[in-house]
């Protein structure tokens, strides 16, 4: 699986490269700044791009903007953004982009190697991998979610991370049957048609959060 990495910190960039190669990923490019990122993405057309939101020269949103620009030329390009801090505005901008796997994780999550690799694979396969803290900040800013019960709110938070019904049940320590019931209630209350497709369901939730 071809990967392009964009990270300005040399140690983290090298660490990500070594980590991914240890799990049989093919890191075809590892760049350190915004201007180098878009050409690398267009040239290598990776199966997933792992990109720091803030890159030189201005350390604002070069990584995010390069990812969005690349998606106009490579529709559906899977992108996993990394950030030092929770930046809901940037998360929303990424999530409103067209089709394709998306992820937004805090850099601290990289230390959990197995979970990080799972997230990379999920995004590469067209799924969603959202940091729980990012999801939490997106959710609390949406007043319409007041219609949900406390448990439905919890289920929605985990569901928006791209988790399966079984994973939601394990995380919240409830049955899968209860999870299905809560999800049906959530979709009904938020005026979204129920679906058995987990990815479609998560994308519907994320689209609502960014409406």
């Amino acid at each position: 699986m071809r990967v392009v990495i964009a990270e300005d910190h040399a140690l983290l960039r090298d660490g990500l490269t070594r980590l991914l190669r240890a799990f049989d990923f093919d890191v075809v490019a590892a760049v350190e700044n915004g201007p180098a990122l878009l050409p690398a993405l267009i040239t290598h057309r990776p199966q997933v791009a792992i990109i720091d939101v803030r890159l030189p020269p201005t350390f604002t949103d070069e990584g995010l903007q390069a990812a969005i620009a690349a998606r106009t030329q490579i529709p559906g390009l899977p992108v996993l953004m990394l950030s030092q801090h929770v930046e809901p505005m940037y998360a929303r901008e990424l999530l409103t982009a067209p089709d394709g796997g998306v992820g937004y994780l805090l850099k601290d999550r990289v230390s959990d190697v197995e979970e990080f690799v799972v997230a990379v694979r999920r995004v590469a396969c067209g799924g969603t991998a959202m940091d729980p803290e990012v999801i939490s900040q997106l959710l609390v800013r949406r007043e319409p979610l007041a219609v949900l019960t406390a448990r439905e709110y919890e289920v929605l938070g985990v569901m928006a991370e791209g988790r399966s019904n079984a994973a939601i049940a394990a995380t919240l320590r409830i049955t899968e049957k209860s999870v299905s019931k809560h999800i049906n209630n959530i979709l009904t209350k938020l005026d979204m048609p129920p679906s058995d497709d987990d990815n479609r369901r998560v994308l519907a939730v994320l689209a609502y959060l960014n409406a």
Side-chain angles (χ1 to χ4, degrees), residues 6-81:
E7 168 57 53
D8 63 295
H9 291 288
L11 288 177
L12 181 54
R13 186 172 64 252
D14 184 62
L16 286 170
T17 300
R18 291 174 181 270
L19 185 159
L20 292 170
R21 285 176 174 165
F23 282 85
D24 298 323
F25 289 89
D26 180 16
V27 180
V28 294
V31 303
E32 61 182 338
N33 58 60
L37 176 55
L38 183 57
L41 294 173
I42 300 302
T43 299
H44 296 286
R45 293 180 174 263
Q47 290 165 282
V48 62
I50 302 173
I51 302 172
D52 187 356
V53 172
R54 297 174 180 268
L55 290 172
T58 67
F59 293 98
T60 53
D61 63 349
E62 285 91 345
L64 175 65
Q65 294 307 320
I68 292 173
R71 277 189 155 196
T72 64
Q73 299 187 53
I74 311 174
L77 172 69
V79 175
L80 173 58
M81 303 300 301

Side-chain angles (χ1 to χ4, degrees), residues 119-207:
V120 174
R121 294 190 189 280
R122 185 188 302 153
V123 171
C125 291
T128 306
M130 298 299 296
D131 195 287
E133 290 191 35
V134 175
I135 290 296
S136 177
Q137 291 211 22
L138 288 172
L139 289 175
V140 298
R141 285 165 169 75
R142 303 306 298 180
E143 214 173 277
L145 294 181
V147 299
L148 303 181
T149 66
R151 177 59 81 182
E152 289 165 355
Y153 182 89
E154 289 179 322
V155 170
L156 178 58
V158 182
M159 183 173 74
E161 294 172 33
R163 305 287 177 147
S164 65
N165 282 14
I168 295 172
T171 299
L172 300 180
R173 299 183 178 180
I174 57 179
T175 66
E176 285 190 54
K177 184 177 180 180
S178 294
V179 171
S180 295
K181 180 180 178 181
H182 288 311
I183 290 174
N184 285 335
N185 289 341
I186 290 168
L187 293 171
T188 298
K189 290 180 179 181
L190 301 184
D191 295 322
M192 296 179 183
S195 171
D196 293 329
D197 185 332
D198 288 337
N199 288 334
R200 182 183 175 189
R201 186 177 64 206
V202 173
L203 290 174
V205 173
L206 295 174

